[in-house]
């Protein structure tokens, strides 16, 4: 049973795209919530849409890039700006061209190194997901 004051969480997806050099793709949000913040590509899930399909669709809409899902990273609960989200995060590898072009809800998109995240003001919850993704990507890459 849910407590009456517990916020209803909006189902969303996020995707950590890691390139062959270990860089991560970020977008700068063009609209609330988190307008102006650098974060992971992602967004809402359409009714009946599989989570992986939603993650790949949001990635294309926000960056024009295509990718393949490597694995699920699990859900993350986020409460920000009076809204509550349950974001299902995925690790993905890029397919084809890797020059991002911002679109849809993204004002900008670019590849970054792990050490740049704090300076860009990336939220701690996103950094935790990125760290999990980088560890998973490292464990999966050939020695």
């Amino acid at each position: 049973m849910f407590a009456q004051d517990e916020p209803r969480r909006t189902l969303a997806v996020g995707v950590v795209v890691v390139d062959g050099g270990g860089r991560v793709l970020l977008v700068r949000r063009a609209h609330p919530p988190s307008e102006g913040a650098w974060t992971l590509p992602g967004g809402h899930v359409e009714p009946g849409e599989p989570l992986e399909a939603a993650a790949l669709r949001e990635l294309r809409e926000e960056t024009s890039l295509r990718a393949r899902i490597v694995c699920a990273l699990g859900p993350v609960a986020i409460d920000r700006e009076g809204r509550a989200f349950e974001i299902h995060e995925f690790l993905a590898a890029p397919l084809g061209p890797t020059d991002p072009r911002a679109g849809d809800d993204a004002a900008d998109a670019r590849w970054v190194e792990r050490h740049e995240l704090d300076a860009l003001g990336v939220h701690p919850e996103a950094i935790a997901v990125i760290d999990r993704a980088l560890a998973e990507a490292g464990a999966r890459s050939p020695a």
Side-chain angles (χ1 to χ4, degrees), residues 53-106:
L56 294 174
R57 174 186 51 76
E58 285 288 339
L59 175 66
R60 273 191 317 277
E61 289 175 359
E62 293 183 355
T63 69
S64 77
L65 297 185
R66 296 193 177 277
R68 69 174 174 80
I69 298 293
V70 174
C71 68
L73 297 168
V76 176
I78 302 286
D79 297 305
R80 191 165 291 122
E81 299 175 27
R83 298 179 69 187
F85 299 91
E86 179 179 293
I87 305 173
H88 290 259
E89 303 284 358
F90 294 91
L91 170 61
L95 297 172
T98 59
D99 187 24
R101 290 189 316 269
D104 194 37
D105 292 333

Side-chain angles (χ1 to χ4, degrees), residues 42-59:
H44 73 283
V45 178
E46 298 286 345
E49 184 178 31
L51 295 175
E52 288 186 8
L56 294 174
R57 174 186 51 76
E58 285 288 339
L59 175 66

Side-chain angles (χ1 to χ4, degrees), residues 73-142:
L73 297 168
V76 176
I78 302 286
D79 297 305
R80 191 165 291 122
E81 299 175 27
R83 298 179 69 187
F85 299 91
E86 179 179 293
I87 305 173
H88 290 259
E89 303 284 358
F90 294 91
L91 170 61
L95 297 172
T98 59
D99 187 24
R101 290 189 316 269
D104 194 37
D105 292 333
D108 198 0
R110 72 182 201 196
W111 293 100
V112 300
E113 301 283 341
R114 168 59 180 90
H115 66 84
E116 297 176 273
L117 298 177
D118 286 326
L120 290 171
V122 176
H123 289 288
E125 301 95 342
I127 292 175
V129 171
I130 290 166
D131 285 342
R132 268 199 333 265
L134 290 171
E136 186 68 37
R140 290 172 178 265
S141 44

